[in-house]
Amino acid sequence: MAGQVQVVVFDVNETLSDMTPLRERFTAAGAAAHREPSAALPAGTRLFATLLMARLHGVESIAAAQPAVETLELVNGWATLMVDALAGHGGRIHQMTGDGLAAVFAEPLAAVHAALEMAEMSALFAADRAAAGKAPVALALGLATGEIVAGFAGTPRQAAYACIGAAVRQASELAALAASSGRTVLLDGATQAALAGTGPASEPVPDHPAS
């Protein structure tokens, strides 16, 4: 089934901002910082990595037409499958938005393998919904490779683990383009170059700092 997944190389040739909007997502360390206002935020790390942005499109229209509990069951069931696929390939989630999520990988190849598994699992998920007579949903993925800054951002009272950099914005734009163009996976040129062995070497993605 993975062989049916459409993978398209797409290079965004435009200048992107080096900042990305901060989405709040508490982790154990973030919650500890909230409990201890005087605690200093951990220092950030600069690294070369691959960002993966995933979006389950079709959820907004579904949510408007069904009870809230059914919508939560939908996104939670999908997220469970996606998190398992990401963890199996070394991806570290840094953002969850209900019908979307973002993860960072040390190796572009690992990110692509995760994307293919996510696409396969989402196709099975959508098939189960169709068999049950439920409204369709579809996955859109964007992958971009580049230098980012990773670490906790915010204040000592309220902090979230964040990845910041042009690659973050680029992966998000590719996921949006995949959704609007009916594709499953879009890769940027830097990710393609890294897969071909012509791009810079990736670096290990650090664990979220402990509190």
Side-chain angles (χ1 to χ4, degrees):
M1 190 168 186
Q4 299 175 350
V5 176
Q6 186 174 14
V7 179
V8 179
V9 175
F10 186 86
D11 197 357
V12 177
N13 295 315
E14 59 181 302
T15 301
L16 299 175
S17 169
D18 284 336
M19 296 298 292
T20 185
L22 174 66
R23 300 279 189 176
E24 294 181 0
R25 176 174 177 264
F26 280 102
T27 61
H34 181 72
R35 292 193 300 270
E36 302 176 19
S38 61
L41 292 176
T45 301
R46 188 180 299 276
L47 66 155
F48 195 86
T50 298
L51 279 296
L52 178 152
M53 295 285 183
R55 181 190 172 200
L56 187 67
H57 57 97
V59 175
E60 290 184 3
S61 59
I62 293 173
Q66 69 179 16
V69 65
E70 293 184 19
T71 300
L72 290 176
E73 289 175 355
L74 161 62
V75 297
N76 288 342
W78 172 77
T80 298
L81 295 175
M82 299 302 98
V83 169
D84 287 346
L86 288 167
H89 296 280
R92 298 190 184 282
I93 296 174
H94 73 89
Q95 182 185 78
M96 296 192 76
T97 59
D99 62 350
L101 57 83
V104 58
F105 292 81
E107 295 295 337
L109 183 58
V112 171
H113 284 168
L116 292 175
E117 184 173 339
M118 292 168 72
E120 182 175 358
M121 297 306 295
S122 288
L124 293 172
F125 183 76
D128 286 344
R129 286 184 57 82
K134 297 180 179 180
V137 291
L139 176 69
L141 290 159
L143 280 72
T145 299
E147 186 178 79
I148 63 169
V149 171
F152 282 95
T155 71
R157 278 193 171 275
Q158 188 164 310
Y161 195 78
C163 291
I164 303 167
V168 180
R169 179 75 61 84
Q170 197 167 7
S172 180
E173 292 188 352
L174 288 172
L177 180 59
S180 64
S181 61
R183 297 185 173 101
T184 304
V185 183
L186 290 177
L187 315 177
D188 76 335
T191 303
Q192 182 192 24
L195 291 174
T198 59
S202 298
E203 302 172 22
V205 176
D207 290 326
H208 292 183
S211 60

